[in-house]
Coordinates of all heavy atoms in Angstrom, one line a residue:
M1 N -46.6 128.2 1.2 CA -48.0 128.4 1.0 C -48.2 129.4 -0.2 O -47.7 130.4 -0.1 CB -48.7 128.9 2.3 CG -50.1 129.3 2.1 SD -50.8 129.9 3.7 CE -52.4 130.4 3.2
A2 N -49.1 129.1 -1.1 CA -49.5 130.0 -2.2 C -50.7 130.8 -1.7 O -51.6 130.3 -1.2 CB -49.7 129.2 -3.5
Y3 N -50.6 132.1 -2.0 CA -51.7 133.0 -1.8 C -52.5 133.3 -3.1 O -51.8 133.2 -4.2 CB -51.0 134.3 -1.2 CG -50.5 134.1 0.0 CD1 -49.3 133.7 0.2 CD2 -51.2 134.5 1.3 CE1 -48.6 133.5 1.5 CE2 -50.6 134.3 2.5 CZ -49.3 133.8 2.7 OH -48.7 133.7 3.8
R4 N -53.7 133.7 -2.9 CA -54.4 134.1 -4.1 C -54.3 135.5 -4.4 O -54.4 136.4 -3.4 CB -55.9 133.6 -4.0 CG -56.7 133.8 -5.2 CD -58.1 133.3 -5.1 NE -58.9 134.4 -4.7 CZ -60.0 134.4 -4.0 NH1 -60.5 133.3 -3.5 NH2 -60.6 135.5 -3.7
V5 N -54.0 136.0 -5.6 CA -54.0 137.5 -5.9 C -55.3 137.8 -6.6 O -55.6 137.1 -7.6 CB -52.8 137.8 -6.8 CG1 -52.7 139.1 -7.2 CG2 -51.4 137.5 -5.9
E6 N -55.9 138.8 -6.1 CA -57.2 139.2 -6.7 C -57.0 140.7 -7.0 O -56.8 141.6 -6.2 CB -58.3 139.1 -5.8 CG -59.7 139.5 -6.5 CD -60.8 139.2 -5.5 OE1 -60.8 138.1 -4.9 OE2 -61.8 139.9 -5.6
I7 N -57.0 141.0 -8.4 CA -56.9 142.3 -8.9 C -58.3 143.0 -8.9 O -59.2 142.4 -9.6 CB -56.3 142.4 -10.3 CG1 -54.8 141.7 -10.1 CG2 -56.2 143.8 -10.8 CD1 -54.2 141.6 -11.5
L8 N -58.5 143.9 -8.1 CA -59.9 144.6 -7.9 C -60.2 145.4 -9.2 O -59.3 145.8 -10.0 CB -59.9 145.4 -6.7 CG -59.7 144.7 -5.3 CD1 -59.6 145.6 -4.2 CD2 -60.7 143.7 -5.2
P9 N -61.4 145.7 -9.5 CA -61.9 146.4 -10.7 C -61.1 147.8 -10.9 O -60.8 148.2 -12.0 CB -63.4 146.6 -10.5 CG -63.8 145.4 -9.6 CD -62.6 145.2 -8.7
T10 N -60.9 148.5 -9.7 CA -60.1 149.8 -9.9 C -58.8 149.5 -10.4 O -58.4 150.4 -11.2 CB -60.1 150.5 -8.5 OG1 -59.5 149.5 -7.6 CG2 -61.5 151.0 -8.0
A11 N -58.1 148.5 -10.0 CA -56.8 148.2 -10.5 C -56.8 147.8 -11.9 O -55.9 148.2 -12.8 CB -56.1 147.2 -9.6
W12 N -57.8 147.0 -12.4 CA -58.0 146.7 -13.8 C -58.2 147.9 -14.7 O -57.5 148.0 -15.7 CB -59.2 145.7 -14.0 CG -58.8 144.3 -13.7 CD1 -59.4 143.5 -12.7 CD2 -57.8 143.5 -14.2 NE1 -58.8 142.3 -12.7 CE2 -57.8 142.2 -13.6 CE3 -56.9 143.6 -15.3 CZ2 -57.0 141.1 -13.9 CZ3 -56.0 142.5 -15.7 CH2 -56.0 141.4 -15.0
E13 N -59.0 148.9 -14.1 CA -59.1 150.1 -14.8 C -57.9 150.9 -15.0 O -57.5 151.4 -16.0 CB -60.2 151.0 -14.1 CG -61.6 150.5 -14.3 CD -62.7 151.2 -13.4 OE1 -62.4 152.4 -13.0 OE2 -63.7 150.6 -13.0
D14 N -57.1 151.0 -13.9 CA -55.7 151.6 -13.9 C -54.9 151.0 -14.9 O -54.2 151.6 -15.6 CB -55.1 151.5 -12.5 CG -55.8 152.2 -11.4 OD1 -56.6 153.1 -11.7 OD2 -55.6 151.9 -10.2
L15 N -54.9 149.6 -15.0 CA -54.0 149.0 -15.9 C -54.4 149.2 -17.4 O -53.6 149.4 -18.3 CB -54.0 147.4 -15.6 CG -53.0 146.6 -16.4 CD1 -51.6 147.0 -16.0 CD2 -53.2 145.1 -16.0
K16 N -55.8 149.3 -17.5 CA -56.2 149.6 -18.9 C -55.8 150.9 -19.4 O -55.4 151.2 -20.5 CB -57.7 149.3 -19.0 CG -58.3 149.7 -20.3 CD -57.9 148.8 -21.4 CE -58.6 149.0 -22.7 NZ -57.9 148.7 -23.9
K17 N -55.8 151.9 -18.4 CA -55.4 153.3 -18.8 C -54.0 153.3 -19.1 O -53.6 154.0 -20.0 CB -55.7 154.2 -17.6 CG -57.2 154.5 -17.5 CD -57.5 155.4 -16.3 CE -59.0 155.5 -16.0 NZ -59.2 156.3 -14.7
I18 N -53.1 152.6 -18.3 CA -51.7 152.6 -18.6 C -51.5 151.9 -20.1 O -50.8 152.4 -20.8 CB -51.1 151.7 -17.5 CG1 -51.1 152.5 -16.3 CG2 -49.6 151.3 -17.9 CD1 -50.7 151.6 -15.0
E19 N -52.2 150.8 -20.2 CA -52.1 150.1 -21.6 C -52.5 151.0 -22.7 O -51.7 151.2 -23.8 CB -52.9 148.9 -21.7 CG -52.8 148.1 -23.0 CD -53.8 147.0 -23.0 OE1 -54.9 146.9 -22.3 OE2 -53.6 146.0 -23.8
D20 N -53.6 151.8 -22.6 CA -54.0 152.7 -23.6 C -52.9 153.8 -23.9 O -52.7 154.2 -25.1 CB -55.3 153.3 -23.2 CG -56.5 152.4 -23.3 OD1 -56.3 151.3 -23.8 OD2 -57.6 152.8 -22.7
W21 N -52.4 154.4 -22.8 CA -51.4 155.4 -22.9 C -50.1 154.9 -23.7 O -49.7 155.6 -24.6 CB -51.0 155.9 -21.5 CG -50.1 157.2 -21.6 CD1 -50.5 158.4 -21.8 CD2 -48.7 157.2 -21.7 NE1 -49.4 159.3 -21.9 CE2 -48.4 158.5 -21.8 CE3 -47.7 156.2 -21.6 CZ2 -47.0 159.0 -21.9 CZ3 -46.5 156.6 -21.7 CH2 -46.1 158.0 -21.8
Y22 N -49.6 153.8 -23.3 CA -48.5 153.3 -24.0 C -48.9 152.8 -25.4 O -48.0 152.9 -26.3 CB -47.9 152.0 -23.3 CG -47.0 152.4 -22.1 CD1 -47.4 152.7 -20.9 CD2 -45.6 152.6 -22.4 CE1 -46.7 153.0 -19.8 CE2 -44.8 153.0 -21.4 CZ -45.3 153.2 -20.1 OH -44.4 153.6 -19.2
M23 N -50.0 152.4 -25.7 CA -50.5 152.0 -27.1 C -50.4 153.3 -27.9 O -49.9 153.2 -29.0 CB -51.9 151.5 -27.0 CG -52.4 151.1 -28.4 SD -51.8 149.5 -29.0 CE -52.9 148.5 -28.1
I24 N -51.0 154.3 -27.6 CA -50.9 155.6 -28.2 C -49.5 156.3 -28.4 O -49.2 156.7 -29.5 CB -51.9 156.7 -27.6 CG1 -53.3 156.3 -27.7 CG2 -51.7 158.1 -28.2 CD1 -54.3 157.1 -26.7
Q25 N -48.7 156.2 -27.3 CA -47.4 156.8 -27.4 C -46.4 155.9 -28.2 O -45.5 156.4 -28.9 CB -46.8 157.0 -25.9 CG -47.7 158.0 -25.2 CD -47.7 159.4 -25.8 OE1 -46.7 159.9 -26.2 NE2 -48.9 160.0 -25.8
F26 N -46.4 154.7 -27.9 CA -45.4 153.7 -28.5 C -45.8 152.4 -29.3 O -45.0 151.8 -29.7 CB -44.5 153.2 -27.3 CG -43.9 154.3 -26.4 CD1 -44.5 154.6 -25.2 CD2 -42.9 155.1 -26.8 CE1 -44.0 155.7 -24.3 CE2 -42.4 156.1 -26.0 CZ -43.0 156.4 -24.8
G27 N -47.1 152.2 -29.3 CA -47.5 151.0 -30.0 C -47.9 149.8 -29.3 O -47.6 149.9 -28.0
S28 N -48.5 148.9 -29.9 CA -49.1 147.8 -29.3 C -48.0 146.9 -28.6 O -48.3 146.4 -27.5 CB -50.1 147.0 -30.1 OG -49.2 146.5 -31.2
E29 N -46.9 146.7 -29.2 CA -45.9 145.7 -28.7 C -45.4 146.3 -27.3 O -45.2 145.6 -26.3 CB -44.7 145.6 -29.6 CG -43.7 144.5 -29.0 CD -42.6 144.3 -30.1 OE1 -42.8 144.6 -31.4 OE2 -41.5 143.8 -29.7
T30 N -45.1 147.6 -27.2 CA -44.6 148.2 -26.0 C -45.7 148.2 -25.0 O -45.4 147.8 -23.8 CB -44.2 149.6 -26.3 OG1 -43.1 149.6 -27.2 CG2 -43.7 150.3 -24.9
A31 N -46.9 148.4 -25.4 CA -48.0 148.4 -24.4 C -48.2 147.0 -23.8 O -48.4 146.9 -22.5 CB -49.3 148.9 -25.0
M32 N -48.1 146.0 -24.6 CA -48.2 144.7 -24.1 C -47.0 144.4 -23.2 O -47.3 143.6 -22.2 CB -48.3 143.7 -25.2 CG -49.7 143.8 -26.0 SD -51.2 143.8 -24.9 CE -50.9 142.2 -24.0
N33 N -45.9 144.8 -23.5 CA -44.7 144.4 -22.7 C -44.8 145.1 -21.3 O -44.4 144.5 -20.4 CB -43.4 144.9 -23.4 CG -43.0 144.0 -24.6 OD1 -43.5 143.0 -24.7 ND2 -42.2 144.6 -25.5
V34 N -45.3 146.3 -21.3 CA -45.5 147.1 -20.0 C -46.5 146.3 -19.1 O -46.3 146.0 -18.0 CB -45.9 148.5 -20.2 CG1 -46.3 149.1 -18.9 CG2 -44.7 149.3 -20.8
V35 N -47.7 146.0 -19.8 CA -48.8 145.3 -19.0 C -48.2 143.9 -18.5 O -48.4 143.5 -17.4 CB -50.0 145.1 -19.9 CG1 -51.0 144.3 -19.3 CG2 -50.6 146.6 -20.1
D36 N -47.5 143.1 -19.4 CA -47.1 141.9 -19.0 C -46.1 141.9 -17.9 O -46.1 141.1 -17.0 CB -46.4 141.2 -20.2 CG -47.4 140.6 -21.2 OD1 -48.6 140.6 -20.9 OD2 -46.9 140.4 -22.3
H37 N -45.3 143.0 -17.8 CA -44.2 143.2 -16.8 C -45.0 143.5 -15.5 O -44.7 142.9 -14.4 CB -43.3 144.4 -17.1 CG -42.4 144.6 -15.9 ND1 -41.3 143.7 -15.6 CD2 -42.3 145.6 -15.1 CE1 -40.7 144.1 -14.6 NE2 -41.3 145.3 -14.1
I38 N -45.9 144.4 -15.5 CA -46.7 144.7 -14.3 C -47.4 143.4 -13.7 O -47.4 143.2 -12.5 CB -47.8 145.8 -14.6 CG1 -47.1 147.2 -14.9 CG2 -48.7 146.0 -13.4 CD1 -47.9 148.2 -15.4
L39 N -48.0 142.7 -14.7 CA -48.7 141.5 -14.1 C -47.8 140.5 -13.6 O -48.1 139.7 -12.7 CB -49.6 140.9 -15.3 CG -50.8 141.7 -15.7 CD1 -51.5 141.2 -16.9 CD2 -51.8 141.9 -14.5
S40 N -46.5 140.4 -14.2 CA -45.7 139.3 -13.6 C -45.2 139.7 -12.3 O -44.9 138.9 -11.5 CB -44.5 139.2 -14.7 OG -43.6 140.3 -14.7
V41 N -44.9 141.1 -12.1 CA -44.5 141.4 -10.7 C -45.6 141.2 -9.7 O -45.4 140.7 -8.6 CB -44.1 142.9 -10.7 CG1 -44.0 143.5 -9.3 CG2 -42.8 143.2 -11.5
I42 N -46.9 141.4 -10.2 CA -48.0 141.2 -9.2 C -48.2 139.7 -8.9 O -48.4 139.3 -7.8 CB -49.3 141.8 -9.8 CG1 -49.3 143.3 -9.7 CG2 -50.5 141.2 -9.2 CD1 -50.4 144.0 -10.5
E43 N -47.9 138.9 -10.0 CA -48.0 137.4 -9.8 C -47.1 136.9 -8.8 O -47.4 135.9 -8.1 CB -47.8 136.8 -11.2 CG -48.0 135.3 -11.2 CD -47.8 134.8 -12.6 OE1 -48.5 135.2 -13.4 OE2 -46.9 133.9 -12.8
R44 N -45.9 137.5 -8.7 CA -44.9 137.1 -7.6 C -45.5 137.2 -6.2 O -45.0 136.4 -5.3 CB -43.6 137.8 -7.6 CG -42.8 137.4 -8.8 CD -41.5 138.1 -8.8 NE -41.3 138.8 -10.1 CZ -40.8 140.0 -10.2 NH1 -40.1 140.5 -9.3 NH2 -40.7 140.5 -11.4
L45 N -46.5 138.0 -6.0 CA -47.1 138.2 -4.7 C -47.8 136.9 -4.2 O -48.1 136.6 -3.1 CB -48.1 139.3 -4.6 CG -47.4 140.7 -4.9 CD1 -48.5 141.8 -5.0 CD2 -46.6 141.0 -3.7
E46 N -48.2 135.9 -5.2 CA -48.7 134.7 -4.9 C -47.8 133.9 -3.9 O -48.3 133.1 -3.0 CB -49.0 133.9 -6.1 CG -50.2 134.4 -6.9 CD -50.3 133.6 -8.2 OE1 -49.5 132.7 -8.5 OE2 -51.3 133.8 -8.9
L47 N -46.5 134.0 -4.1 CA -45.6 133.3 -3.3 C -45.0 134.2 -2.2 O -44.6 133.7 -1.1 CB -44.5 132.6 -4.1 CG -44.9 131.6 -5.1 CD1 -43.8 131.2 -6.0 CD2 -45.6 130.4 -4.5
Y48 N -44.9 135.4 -2.5 CA -44.2 136.4 -1.6 C -45.0 137.6 -1.3 O -44.6 138.7 -1.8 CB -42.7 136.8 -2.1 CG -41.9 135.6 -2.6 CD1 -41.7 135.2 -4.0 CD2 -41.3 134.8 -1.7 CE1 -41.0 134.2 -4.3 CE2 -40.6 133.7 -2.0 CZ -40.4 133.3 -3.4 OH -39.6 132.3 -3.8
P49 N -46.1 137.5 -0.6 CA -46.9 138.6 -0.3 C -46.3 139.7 0.5 O -46.6 140.9 0.6 CB -48.2 138.0 0.3 CG -47.7 136.8 0.9 CD -46.5 136.3 0.1
D50 N -45.3 139.4 1.3 CA -44.5 140.4 2.1 C -43.4 140.9 1.4 O -42.6 141.8 2.0 CB -44.0 139.7 3.4 CG -45.2 139.2 4.3 OD1 -46.2 139.9 4.4 OD2 -45.0 138.2 4.9
S51 N -43.2 140.7 0.1 CA -42.0 141.2 -0.6 C -42.2 142.6 -0.9 O -41.2 143.3 -1.3 CB -41.8 140.4 -1.9 OG -42.9 140.6 -2.7
G52 N -43.3 143.3 -0.8 CA -43.5 144.7 -1.1 C -43.0 145.4 0.0 O -42.8 145.0 1.2
S53 N -42.8 146.8 -0.2 CA -42.4 147.6 0.9 C -43.6 148.5 1.4 O -44.7 148.5 0.8 CB -41.3 148.5 0.3 OG -41.8 149.3 -0.8
L54 N -43.3 149.2 2.4 CA -44.2 150.2 2.9 C -44.4 151.3 1.9 O -43.6 151.6 1.1 CB -43.8 150.8 4.3 CG -43.7 149.8 5.5 CD1 -43.1 150.5 6.7 CD2 -45.1 149.2 5.7
T55 N -45.6 152.0 1.9 CA -46.0 153.0 1.0 C -45.4 154.3 1.7 O -45.0 154.3 2.8 CB -47.4 153.1 0.9 OG1 -48.0 153.7 2.1 CG2 -48.1 151.9 0.5
P56 N -45.3 155.4 1.0 CA -44.9 156.7 1.5 C -45.9 157.3 2.4 O -45.8 158.5 2.9 CB -44.5 157.5 0.3 CG -45.0 156.9 -0.9 CD -45.4 155.5 -0.5
D57 N -47.1 156.7 2.6 CA -48.2 157.3 3.3 C -48.4 156.5 4.6 O -48.7 155.3 4.6 CB -49.4 157.2 2.4 CG -50.6 158.0 3.0 OD1 -51.3 157.2 3.7 OD2 -50.9 159.2 2.7
G58 N -48.3 157.3 5.7 CA -48.5 156.7 7.0 C -49.9 156.1 7.2 O -50.0 155.0 7.8
W59 N -51.0 156.7 6.6 CA -52.3 156.1 6.8 C -52.5 154.8 6.1 O -53.0 153.9 6.6 CB -53.3 157.2 6.2 CG -54.8 156.7 6.4 CD1 -55.5 157.0 7.4 CD2 -55.5 156.0 5.5 NE1 -56.7 156.5 7.2 CE2 -56.8 155.9 6.0 CE3 -55.3 155.4 4.2 CZ2 -57.9 155.1 5.4 CZ3 -56.3 154.7 3.6 CH2 -57.5 154.6 4.2
L60 N -51.9 154.7 4.9 CA -52.1 153.4 4.1 C -51.2 152.4 4.9 O -51.7 151.2 5.0 CB -51.5 153.6 2.7 CG -52.3 154.4 1.7 CD1 -51.5 154.6 0.4 CD2 -53.6 153.7 1.6
N61 N -50.1 152.8 5.3 CA -49.2 151.7 6.1 C -50.0 151.3 7.3 O -50.0 150.1 7.7 CB -47.9 152.3 6.5 CG -47.1 152.7 5.3 OD1 -47.2 152.1 4.2 ND2 -46.2 153.7 5.5
H62 N -50.6 152.2 8.0 CA -51.4 151.8 9.3 C -52.5 150.9 9.0 O -52.7 149.9 9.9 CB -52.1 153.0 9.9 CG -52.9 152.8 11.1 ND1 -52.3 152.5 12.3 CD2 -54.2 152.8 11.2 CE1 -53.3 152.3 13.2 NE2 -54.5 152.4 12.5
Y63 N -53.0 150.9 7.9 CA -54.1 149.9 7.5 C -53.7 148.7 6.7 O -54.3 148.0 6.1 CB -55.2 150.6 6.6 CG -56.0 151.5 7.6 CD1 -55.8 152.9 7.8 CD2 -57.0 151.0 8.4 CE1 -56.5 153.7 8.6 CE2 -57.7 151.7 9.4 CZ -57.5 153.1 9.5 OH -58.1 153.9 10.3
G64 N -52.3 148.5 6.7 CA -51.7 147.3 6.1 C -51.4 147.3 4.7 O -51.2 146.2 4.1
F65 N -51.5 148.4 4.0 CA -51.2 148.5 2.6 C -49.7 148.5 2.4 O -49.0 149.0 3.2 CB -51.8 149.7 1.9 CG -53.3 149.8 1.8 CD1 -54.1 150.3 2.9 CD2 -53.9 149.3 0.7 CE1 -55.5 150.2 2.8 CE2 -55.3 149.3 0.7 CZ -56.1 149.7 1.7
R66 N -49.4 147.8 1.2 CA -48.0 147.8 0.8 C -47.9 148.1 -0.6 O -48.9 148.2 -1.2 CB -47.4 146.3 1.1 CG -47.4 146.1 2.6 CD -46.8 144.7 3.0 NE -45.4 144.6 2.8 CZ -44.4 145.0 3.6 NH1 -44.8 145.5 4.7 NH2 -43.2 144.9 3.4
M67 N -46.7 148.1 -1.2 CA -46.6 148.3 -2.6 C -45.4 147.6 -3.2 O -44.5 147.2 -2.5 CB -46.3 149.9 -2.8 CG -45.0 150.4 -2.3 SD -44.8 152.1 -2.6 CE -43.2 152.4 -2.2
V68 N -45.6 147.3 -4.4 CA -44.5 146.7 -5.3 C -44.2 147.6 -6.4 O -45.2 148.1 -7.1 CB -44.8 145.2 -5.7 CG1 -44.7 144.3 -4.5 CG2 -46.1 145.1 -6.5
I69 N -43.0 147.7 -6.7 CA -42.6 148.6 -7.9 C -42.4 147.8 -9.1 O -41.8 146.7 -9.1 CB -41.2 149.4 -7.5 CG1 -41.3 150.1 -6.2 CG2 -40.8 150.2 -8.7 CD1 -42.1 151.3 -6.3
C70 N -43.0 148.3 -10.1 CA -42.9 147.5 -11.4 C -42.4 148.6 -12.5 O -43.0 149.2 -13.2 CB -44.4 147.2 -12.0 SG -45.5 146.5 -10.7
E71 N -41.0 148.8 -12.3 CA -40.4 149.8 -13.1 C -40.9 151.2 -12.9 O -40.7 151.8 -11.8 CB -40.2 149.4 -14.6 CG -39.3 148.2 -14.8 CD -39.0 147.9 -16.2 OE1 -39.4 148.7 -17.1 OE2 -38.5 146.8 -16.5
K72 N -41.7 151.7 -13.9 CA -42.3 153.0 -13.8 C -43.6 153.1 -13.1 O -44.2 154.1 -12.9 CB -42.4 153.7 -15.1 CG -41.0 154.0 -15.7 CD -41.3 154.7 -17.1 CE -39.9 154.9 -17.7 NZ -40.0 155.8 -18.9
H73 N -44.0 152.0 -12.6 CA -45.4 151.9 -12.0 C -45.3 151.2 -10.6 O -44.3 150.5 -10.3 CB -46.3 151.1 -13.0 CG -46.5 151.7 -14.3 ND1 -45.7 151.4 -15.3 CD2 -47.3 152.8 -14.7 CE1 -46.0 152.2 -16.4 NE2 -47.0 153.0 -16.0
V74 N -46.4 151.5 -9.9 CA -46.5 150.8 -8.6 C -47.9 150.1 -8.4 O -48.8 150.8 -8.8 CB -46.2 152.0 -7.6 CG1 -47.3 153.0 -7.5 CG2 -46.2 151.3 -6.1
A75 N -47.8 149.0 -7.8 CA -49.2 148.4 -7.4 C -49.3 148.4 -5.9 O -48.4 148.0 -5.2 CB -49.2 146.9 -7.9
I76 N -50.4 148.9 -5.5 CA -50.8 149.1 -4.1 C -51.7 147.9 -3.7 O -52.7 147.7 -4.4 CB -51.4 150.4 -3.8 CG1 -50.7 151.5 -4.4 CG2 -51.8 150.6 -2.3 CD1 -49.4 151.8 -3.6
Y77 N -51.3 147.2 -2.7 CA -52.0 146.0 -2.3 C -52.2 145.8 -0.8 O -51.4 146.6 -0.1 CB -51.4 144.7 -2.9 CG -50.1 144.4 -2.3 CD1 -50.0 143.4 -1.2 CD2 -48.9 144.9 -2.7 CE1 -48.8 143.0 -0.6 CE2 -47.7 144.6 -2.2 CZ -47.6 143.6 -1.1 OH -46.5 143.2 -0.6
R78 N -53.1 144.9 -0.4 CA -53.2 144.6 1.0 C -53.4 143.1 1.1 O -54.3 142.6 0.4 CB -54.3 145.4 1.6 CG -54.5 145.1 3.1 CD -55.3 146.2 3.9 NE -56.6 146.3 3.3 CZ -57.6 146.9 3.7 NH1 -57.5 147.5 5.0 NH2 -58.7 147.1 3.2
Q79 N -52.8 142.5 2.0 CA -53.0 141.0 2.2 C -54.1 140.8 3.4 O -53.9 141.5 4.4 CB -51.7 140.2 2.6 CG -52.0 138.8 2.9 CD -50.7 138.2 3.4 OE1 -49.7 138.7 3.3 NE2 -50.8 137.0 4.1
I80 N -55.1 140.1 3.1 CA -56.1 139.8 4.1 C -56.2 138.3 4.1 O -56.7 137.7 3.1 CB -57.5 140.4 3.8 CG1 -57.3 142.0 3.8 CG2 -58.5 140.1 4.8 CD1 -58.6 142.8 3.3
E81 N -55.8 137.7 5.2 CA -55.7 136.2 5.3 C -54.8 135.7 4.2 O -53.7 136.1 4.0 CB -57.0 135.6 5.4 CG -57.8 136.1 6.7 CD -59.1 135.5 6.9 OE1 -59.5 134.5 6.2 OE2 -59.8 136.0 7.8
D82 N -55.4 134.8 3.4 CA -54.6 134.2 2.3 C -54.9 134.7 1.0 O -54.6 134.2 -0.1 CB -54.8 132.7 2.3 CG -56.3 132.2 2.0 OD1 -57.1 133.1 2.1 OD2 -56.4 131.1 1.7
I83 N -55.5 136.0 0.9 CA -55.8 136.7 -0.4 C -55.0 138.0 -0.4 O -54.9 138.8 0.6 CB -57.2 136.9 -0.6 CG1 -58.1 135.7 -0.4 CG2 -57.5 137.6 -1.9 CD1 -59.5 135.7 -0.5
V84 N -54.3 138.3 -1.5 CA -53.7 139.6 -1.8 C -54.6 140.3 -2.7 O -54.8 139.9 -3.9 CB -52.3 139.3 -2.4 CG1 -51.6 140.7 -2.7 CG2 -51.4 138.5 -1.4
Y85 N -55.1 141.6 -2.2 CA -55.9 142.4 -3.0 C -55.2 143.5 -3.6 O -54.4 144.3 -2.9 CB -57.1 142.9 -2.1 CG -58.1 141.8 -1.7 CD1 -57.8 141.3 -0.4 CD2 -59.1 141.4 -2.4 CE1 -58.7 140.4 0.1 CE2 -60.0 140.5 -2.0 CZ -59.8 140.0 -0.6 OH -60.6 139.0 -0.2
I86 N -55.2 143.6 -4.9 CA -54.5 144.7 -5.6 C -55.4 145.8 -5.8 O -56.6 145.7 -6.4 CB -54.0 144.4 -7.0 CG1 -53.1 143.0 -7.0 CG2 -53.2 145.5 -7.7 CD1 -51.9 143.2 -6.1
Y87 N -55.3 147.0 -5.2 CA -56.3 148.1 -5.1 C -56.1 149.0 -6.3 O -56.9 149.6 -7.0 CB -56.1 148.8 -3.9 CG -56.8 148.1 -2.7 CD1 -56.1 147.1 -2.0 CD2 -58.1 148.3 -2.3 CE1 -56.7 146.4 -1.0 CE2 -58.7 147.6 -1.3 CZ -58.0 146.6 -0.6 OH -58.5 145.9 0.4
H88 N -54.8 149.5 -6.5 CA -54.5 150.4 -7.6 C -53.2 150.1 -8.2 O -52.2 149.5 -7.6 CB -54.4 151.8 -7.1 CG -55.8 152.3 -6.7 ND1 -56.6 152.9 -7.8 CD2 -56.4 152.7 -5.7 CE1 -57.7 153.3 -7.3 NE2 -57.6 153.2 -5.9
I89 N -53.0 150.5 -9.5 CA -51.7 150.4 -10.2 C -51.6 151.8 -10.8 O -52.4 152.4 -11.5 CB -51.8 149.5 -11.3 CG1 -52.1 148.0 -10.8 CG2 -50.5 149.4 -12.1 CD1 -52.4 147.0 -11.8
A90 N -50.5 152.5 -10.5 CA -50.2 153.8 -10.9 C -48.8 154.1 -11.2 O -47.9 153.4 -11.0 CB -50.6 154.9 -9.7
D91 N -48.7 155.3 -12.0 CA -47.3 155.7 -12.3 C -46.7 156.2 -11.1 O -47.3 156.9 -10.2 CB -47.5 156.9 -13.4 CG -46.1 157.4 -14.0 OD1 -45.2 157.7 -13.1 OD2 -46.0 157.4 -15.1
T92 N -45.4 155.8 -10.9 CA -44.6 156.2 -9.6 C -44.4 157.8 -9.6 O -44.1 158.3 -8.5 CB -43.3 155.5 -9.6 OG1 -42.6 156.0 -10.8 CG2 -43.4 154.1 -9.5
Q93 N -44.6 158.5 -10.7 CA -44.4 159.9 -10.7 C -45.6 160.7 -10.4 O -45.6 161.9 -10.4 CB -43.8 160.3 -12.0 CG -42.5 159.5 -12.3 CD -41.4 160.3 -12.9 OE1 -41.6 161.5 -13.1 NE2 -40.4 159.6 -13.4
T94 N -46.7 160.0 -10.1 CA -47.9 160.7 -9.7 C -48.1 160.6 -8.2 O -47.4 159.9 -7.5 CB -49.1 160.1 -10.3 OG1 -49.3 158.8 -9.9 CG2 -49.1 160.1 -11.8
E95 N -49.0 161.3 -7.6 CA -49.4 161.3 -6.3 C -50.5 160.1 -6.0 O -51.5 160.3 -5.7 CB -49.9 162.6 -5.8 CG -49.0 163.8 -5.8 CD -49.5 165.0 -5.2 OE1 -50.2 165.0 -4.2 OE2 -49.2 166.1 -5.9
Y96 N -50.0 158.9 -6.3 CA -50.8 157.8 -6.2 C -51.4 157.5 -4.9 O -52.4 156.8 -4.8 CB -50.0 156.5 -6.7 CG -48.7 156.3 -6.0 CD1 -48.7 155.4 -4.9 CD2 -47.5 156.7 -6.5 CE1 -47.6 155.2 -4.3 CE2 -46.4 156.5 -5.9 CZ -46.4 155.7 -4.8 OH -45.2 155.4 -4.1
T97 N -50.7 157.9 -3.8 CA -51.4 157.6 -2.5 C -52.7 158.4 -2.3 O -53.5 158.0 -1.5 CB -50.4 158.0 -1.3 OG1 -50.1 159.4 -1.5 CG2 -49.2 157.2 -1.4
K98 N -52.9 159.4 -3.1 CA -54.2 160.2 -3.1 C -55.3 159.4 -3.8 O -56.5 159.9 -3.7 CB -54.1 161.6 -3.6 CG -53.1 162.4 -2.7 CD -53.0 163.8 -3.2 CE -52.1 164.6 -2.2 NZ -52.0 165.9 -2.5
L99 N -55.0 158.3 -4.4 CA -56.1 157.5 -5.0 C -57.0 156.9 -3.9 O -58.1 156.6 -4.2 CB -55.5 156.4 -5.9 CG -54.8 156.9 -7.1 CD1 -54.0 155.6 -7.7 CD2 -55.7 157.4 -8.1
F100 N -56.6 156.9 -2.7 CA -57.4 156.3 -1.6 C -58.1 157.5 -0.9 O -58.8 157.4 -0.1 CB -56.5 155.6 -0.6 CG -55.9 154.3 -1.2 CD1 -54.7 154.4 -2.0 CD2 -56.5 153.1 -1.1 CE1 -54.2 153.2 -2.6 CE2 -55.9 151.9 -1.6 CZ -54.8 152.0 -2.4

């Protein structure tokens, strides 16, 4: 069964900030490669929504949130029925669980 992945506006904003940072630091090619990689990892959730792991936060885990690692970034998501909602995309070195 294929699931639908919906990237919420907050996650699109996160992704845009990541893209902007990489654009300034390393240029457009690197920025596009990073964004493409993040989106390809998220896209895999269409077939494997349970492939993510638990988050380091007990509250998020209690409410069904999971995460997938995209090299230096993490995408926080929750599956509700046949839709996988992406809530945030953040650098793994930040306190990303506080985004909630």
